[in-house]
Amino acid sequence: MEKPSPYYFRHGGADDLDNLLPCGLAPQSCPVCSSTSQLLFCGGCKVVSYCGKAHQLTDRPNHKAVCITIKKTGEKLDREEAELRAKPADSLLPADVFNTSAGRFWGILDTRNYMRARFAAADALLKVETRVAVERALGHFMEMLRLCRADNLGVRDVVPALLLRLGREQECYDFLKWWATADLDGKYRWGDTTLPYLDVHGADAFEPIEPFLPNHGLSLSQLAMLTLLKLRLRLDLESHGSESGRPVGRLVRAKVRFAHTRGISRTTEELKSQYYTLCRVINDANPHFWEALVNGETPSPPASYGVGSRE
């Protein structure tokens, strides 16, 4: 069997193609020699691996700054959590806040430093291009959503991208569809933990995009991830059965397993149309977005901005 593309990872240790999942991350390897065997995690960040101490020392000048940041933000998160758990209950802070107030954290002022610290810890991890780092960052963000349904820090804009990078296309689509449809009338009670939350599972990622338009509940970032997902599905369908050697994701493999050639061709054209429609929707939302993406711009976050502006 040919060596898989670095943009795919092997899941579960099996050799069959059914366990090759699309991924924007190379397999865990030593950053110096690219070895993937007998790796040991860096003792500081615990997300970068080395084949031995010699190469860890060689890479230290490159890795030191981000390693220190990951370690410090992790330690700060631990301190903030310990402090929050140790605080006595009062009129503003409920007792056992992590259990009694899950879902409503941002509305409790004493929790905000903890939530900011958790965001910072996740953000630091994303400075490292390893699967372990992305998985841990995603874990932080999903826990933040569990604790604060209203997502006052906006991690819902980051989660779909991380799911795609990890090859978890179905979860990405389910996440986007929930956010697009959960509060269309503006009456969803974000602090009511008895209401369904992120409860879309197994939605049809090939379905028409009308549920997302025109009064969708998605941000520009989320729309971009939906567009990328639709494009990935289209390219996977076009590649399936070809000699390109490009493994395709689980969603497309399942699709072609139970569909006729004519149906696959029709679905491919539908995805193409959906992709172009979404491109136009994004351009209408912010005409500067595609240009910035194509030009590879990496500007610093502005102090303030208006919706649809270049900032």
Side-chain angles (χ1 to χ4, degrees):
M1 181 178 174
E2 293 183 3
K3 183 179 179 180
S5 160
Y7 296 103
Y8 287 75
F9 69 88
R10 194 176 300 283
H11 179 71
D15 283 333
D16 57 297
L17 277 174
D18 194 54
N19 285 298
L20 282 176
L21 306 178
C23 181
L25 299 161
Q28 196 83 10
S29 63
C30 173
V32 177
C33 66
S34 300
S35 172
T36 58
S37 61
Q38 297 183 322
L39 299 176
L40 297 173
F41 280 116
C42 166
C45 67
K46 297 181 175 60
V47 292
V48 174
S49 305
Y50 295 95
C51 63
K53 290 185 177 180
H55 281 182
Q56 184 173 9
L57 288 173
T58 299
D59 192 51
R60 188 59 180 169
N62 297 321
H63 179 58
K64 182 178 180 180
V66 69
C67 181
I68 291 174
T69 301
I70 291 172
K71 185 177 180 180
K72 285 186 174 181
T73 55
E75 290 172 346
K76 180 174 175 57
L77 172 61
D78 290 341
R79 290 195 301 272
E80 291 291 348
E81 180 170 344
E83 182 179 331
L84 183 57
R85 290 184 182 278
K87 278 188 176 182
D90 57 30
S91 60
L92 298 178
L93 178 67
D96 193 15
V97 66
F98 281 90
N99 290 314
T100 61
S101 302
R104 302 181 286 106
F105 253 41
W106 198 256
I108 303 168
L109 292 179
D110 285 311
T111 69
R112 294 187 180 183
N113 285 340
Y114 163 80
M115 294 293 281
R116 293 188 183 101
R118 190 143 204 169
F119 189 101
D123 190 54
L125 286 165
L126 293 178
K127 301 297 189 293
V128 173
E129 294 288 328
T130 68
R131 176 173 172 78
V132 174
V134 174
E135 285 180 332
R136 291 185 182 175
L138 177 62
H140 281 306
F141 289 141
M142 294 305 295
E143 177 64 6
M144 289 175 69
L145 288 174
R146 186 187 74 84
L147 293 172
C148 180
R149 289 185 167 202
D151 185 27
N152 298 79
L153 292 179
V155 304
R156 64 188 179 277
D157 286 342
V158 186
V159 166
L162 302 187
L163 290 170
L164 274 186
R165 292 180 70 190
L166 293 169
R168 292 157 65 173
E169 299 165 336
Q170 183 64 65
E171 292 172 70
C172 176
Y173 187 74
D174 290 341
F175 187 93
L176 289 169
K177 187 166 185 180
W178 189 89
W179 280 100
T181 59
D183 192 32
L184 291 177
D185 60 3
K187 296 181 180 179
Y188 185 84
R189 300 187 301 278
W190 295 96
D192 186 349
T193 56
T194 66
L195 295 178
Y197 185 70
L198 295 178
D199 63 336
V200 174
H201 303 291
D204 182 6
F206 300 90
E207 68 185 347
I209 56 176
E210 277 66 29
F212 297 90
L213 308 172
N215 297 316
H216 57 78
L218 298 183
S219 66
L220 184 69
S221 176
Q222 290 174 320
L223 278 173
M225 289 305 101
L226 177 61
T227 306
L228 180 58
L229 174 57
K230 291 288 188 176
L231 176 60
R232 176 182 286 187
L233 294 177
R234 172 195 163 191
L235 294 176
D236 278 1
L237 280 175
E238 291 175 344
S239 298
H240 184 79
S242 70
E243 297 181 357
S244 66
R246 176 181 182 270
V248 299
R250 283 178 174 170
L251 290 180
V252 165
R253 292 205 303 277
K255 186 76 170 177
V256 300
R257 192 174 296 143
F258 301 106
H260 296 292
T261 302
R262 184 178 300 175
I264 293 300
S265 178
R266 182 171 59 251
T267 300
T268 302
E269 288 302 309
E270 289 171 352
L271 286 169
K272 181 179 180 180
S273 176
Q274 292 172 19
Y275 167 70
Y276 285 126
T277 297
L278 287 167
C279 284
R280 290 192 293 270
V281 170
I282 288 177
N283 191 67
D284 290 342
N286 191 317
H288 308 287
F289 178 82
W290 293 121
E291 179 185 0
L293 187 65
V294 170
N295 292 338
E297 295 180 16
T298 54
S300 300
S304 61
Y305 63 90
V307 175
S309 68
R310 174 170 288 277
E311 290 74 18

